[in-house]
Amino acid sequence: MNTPLFTKLCVLFITAILVSNIIATKMISLGSLIVPAGVLVFPITYILSDIFSEVYGYKASRITAWYAFGANLLMVVLFKIAVMLPGAPFWSEEAQRAFEATLNGTWRILLASLTAYMVGDFINDVIFAKMKKKHGEKRFGIRAIASSMVGNAVDSFVFITIAFWGTPLFSYMVIPSQWGIKMLYEIALLPITILVVKKLRVKA
């Protein structure tokens, strides 16, 4: 597990988690769908989670999840300190309000992200592991998509509810939109994911 390649994948995983949480506070339009901007990056974490579980095992997948949470917590603490510190003489109130609006909601996003990811990824890993036990290393693509369909559904429901409940951004209609885009994302990248798994199996 302690290989340069694993380290690189772990860094990519943590980066995807951090970026998705920062940009998740903005709702974007993708055609007729309204979803958090984090959906542009977050599916990468599920793809990598499946890769970790398939090649390095369930323990590796859990370890990377906790690494990401630790990095996320540190990021949020530093954001909070930056918001609270007095601005420079030329730092306007308008700039401060914009800064706070962008970064002050990160505690709630962190809680939503952690809860949603831990529950969703746990379900994803359990389904993935049971299917792997039944089929062995065969049918990775089917196992990855089937487990992600359930895990992502739970993740989307929990995240949207915790992150946006009681705010103008909240709507349960966002959940199926977010889930659908995540799954299309994963399906589109599935050939690359399978190729990565094959190459990692050789080097593992």
Side-chain angles (χ1 to χ4, degrees), residues 5 11 32 37 40 62 75 88-89 96-97 121 152 189 194 197:
L5 191 52
V11 169
S32 60
L40 300 174
R62 292 291 86 206
M75 178 186 72
Q96 179 65 19
R97 284 195 297 271
D121 191 55
N152 268 320
L189 292 180
I194 293 173
V197 167

Side-chain angles (χ1 to χ4, degrees), residues 134-151:
K134 182 177 180 180
H135 300 291
E137 292 187 350
K138 298 178 180 179
R139 302 179 181 178
F140 167 76
I142 295 175
R143 287 185 280 121
I145 296 302
S147 58
S148 290
M149 285 179 70
V150 182

